[in-house]
């Protein structure tokens, strides 16, 4: 498979609605490495649908511990294990990732123990290494360099944008963040910037639908970026291509791709992709 980005799950937030897209997860193929970024619900199914054999699972990065980014981390690794995973998997996440993983293995203890004895599988707990990271360099390995920038996603403190570099190419994920100007430096000249985005006109209808209106609206405004702000970061960073992802709202029939494009065009004139589940962006 050539180097590419696959947007596996493109919606912001954990709720699912009939016919709608799925929470946050992406696949990055760069320099021959297979990297999963975030593990929202549906990541396992989406990887299989993208033609990825789960035994090939290699590196997993989690931007923060909101459920729409981490809920399926354990089930993904466990399912890969039942599919024959026998090589080490490196999981990189914020502080608390190890706690999640240990408790997941405890919750699945019956199944894990019985499959080791009954089916002769390796111990899943020994296949997985958990690496909790903070801001700065996260990984440098066989030409792959990964670095992290703490972004602005209150009340979550440990939420990190991620920059992946290999062979002169680079892909940056904003993670969940309010408008955060330092991201422009962090994403400087990247080939692809994957930035979260929400659309102002859809927020009112969304909060009316979910039932906890005022509080949800306050959270969204304090912790997420409008599409035109994502475009501003892309322009300031001078990236080659912008992908709007983690869309809020993502499943409002009254909002179509052209609405997103119209708003981003106020601040970004370059190459633009509006994420959809399963969409492939080639890394030229
Ligand atoms: Zn999120
Ligand atoms: Zn979040």
């Amino acid at each position: 498979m050539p180097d590419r980005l696959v947007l596996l799950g493109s919606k912001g937030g954990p709720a699912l609605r009939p016919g709608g897209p799925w929470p946050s997860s992406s696949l990055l193929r760069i320099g021959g490495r297979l990297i999963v970024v975030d593990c929202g619900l549906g990541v396992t199914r989406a990887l299989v649908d993208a033609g990825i054999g789960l035994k090939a699972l290699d590196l997993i990065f989690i931007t923060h511990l909101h459920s729409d980014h981490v809920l399926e981390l354990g089930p993904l690794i466990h399912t890969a294990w039942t599919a024959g995973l026998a090589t080490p998997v490196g999981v990189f996440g914020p502080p608390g990732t190890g706690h999640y993983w240990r408790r997941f293995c405890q919750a699945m203890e019956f199944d894990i123990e019985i499959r080791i004895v009954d089916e002769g599988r390796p111990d899943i707990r020994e296949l997985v290494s958990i690496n909790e990271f903070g801001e700065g360099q996260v990984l440098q390995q066989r030409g792959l360099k990964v670095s992290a920038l703490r972004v602005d996603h209150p009340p979550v403190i440990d939420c990190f944008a991620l920059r992946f570099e290999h062979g002169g190419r680079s892909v940056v994920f904003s993670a969940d963040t309010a408008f955060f100007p330092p991201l422009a430096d962090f994403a400087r000249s990247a080939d692809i910037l994957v930035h979260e985005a929400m659309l102002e006109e859809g927020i009112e209808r969304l909060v009316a639908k979910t039932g906890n209106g005022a509080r949800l609206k306050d959270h969204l405004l304090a912790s997420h970026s409008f599409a035109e702000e994502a475009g501003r970061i892309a322009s300031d960073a001078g990236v080659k291509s912008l992908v709007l992802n983690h869309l809020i709202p993502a499943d409002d029939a009254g909002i179509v791709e052209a609405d997103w494009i119209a708003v981003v065009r106020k601040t970004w004139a370059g190459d633009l992709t509006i994420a959809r589940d399963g969409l492939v962006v080639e890394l030229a």
Side-chain angles (χ1 to χ4, degrees):
M1 179 188 282
D3 284 357
R4 56 176 49 182
L5 167 71
V6 187
L7 302 153
L8 301 172
S10 60
K11 84 179 289 283
L16 295 177
R17 296 189 183 87
W22 285 65
S24 213
S25 62
S26 302
L27 169 68
L28 177 62
R29 177 92 187 178
I30 188 167
R33 302 299 296 267
L34 203 60
I35 303 168
V36 176
V37 179
D38 282 334
C39 290
L41 201 64
V43 61
T44 314
R45 171 69 185 264
L47 281 168
V48 172
D49 283 351
I52 303 298
L54 295 178
K55 277 168 73 171
L57 209 58
D58 178 6
L59 297 171
I60 301 174
F61 287 80
I62 302 294
T63 59
H64 66 300
L65 295 180
H66 263 148
S67 59
D68 54 323
H69 300 256
V70 76
L71 190 62
E72 202 169 300
L73 171 61
L76 168 62
I77 299 171
H78 186 283
T79 305
W81 179 63
T82 62
L85 178 78
T87 49
V89 173
V91 176
F92 296 79
T97 304
H99 178 78
Y100 164 93
W101 173 246
R102 286 188 297 276
R103 293 298 176 96
F104 173 80
C105 289
Q106 275 171 20
M108 293 306 299
E109 204 159 43
F110 173 84
D111 180 89
I112 290 171
E113 299 289 355
I114 215 163
R115 286 186 198 279
I116 292 171
V117 173
D118 186 36
E119 300 172 9
R121 296 188 185 278
D123 193 330
I124 188 173
R125 292 157 294 203
E126 288 163 15
L127 282 178
V128 176
S129 67
I130 302 287
N131 308 272
E132 295 185 347
F133 65 81
E135 199 168 63
Q137 183 164 301
V138 176
L139 177 68
Q140 189 148 24
Q141 190 185 67
R142 286 185 275 147
L144 174 69
K145 194 177 144 200
V146 186
S147 48
L149 175 74
R150 187 186 303 277
V151 289
D152 186 18
H153 189 46
V156 179
I157 293 165
D158 291 321
C159 182
F160 297 96
L162 294 167
R163 182 180 180 113
F164 297 87
E165 295 172 81
H166 187 283
R169 287 179 306 175
S170 51
V171 178
V172 174
F173 294 81
S174 71
D176 287 10
T177 183
F179 179 59
F180 191 57
L183 251 177
D185 257 338
F186 185 70
R188 182 74 53 210
S189 304
D191 290 280
I192 302 174
L193 169 63
V194 183
H195 201 295
E196 72 125 273
M198 58 184 176
L199 203 60
E200 197 161 10
E201 63 174 285
I203 301 301
E204 295 295 341
R205 291 208 291 270
L206 176 72
V207 298
K209 207 160 41 181
T210 48
N212 54 338
R215 289 288 298 276
L216 178 61
K217 187 178 173 186
D218 288 348
H219 164 77
L220 292 174
L221 297 183
S223 314
H224 295 280
S225 302
F226 287 115
E228 51 270 52
E229 294 173 323
R232 168 56 51 207
I233 297 291
S235 288
D236 290 350
V239 299
K240 295 196 183 73
S241 172
L242 170 65
V243 177
L244 287 196
N245 192 37
H246 195 275
L247 303 178
I248 301 175
D251 46 13
D252 186 326
I255 291 172
V256 295
E257 194 171 280
D259 297 314
W260 290 97
I261 293 170
V263 170
V264 186
R265 283 303 179 215
K266 294 177 190 168
T267 51
W268 169 248
D271 188 70
L272 175 64
T273 301
I274 311 299
R276 290 192 307 274
D277 289 7
L279 191 72
V280 175
V281 181
E282 299 295 346
L283 193 50

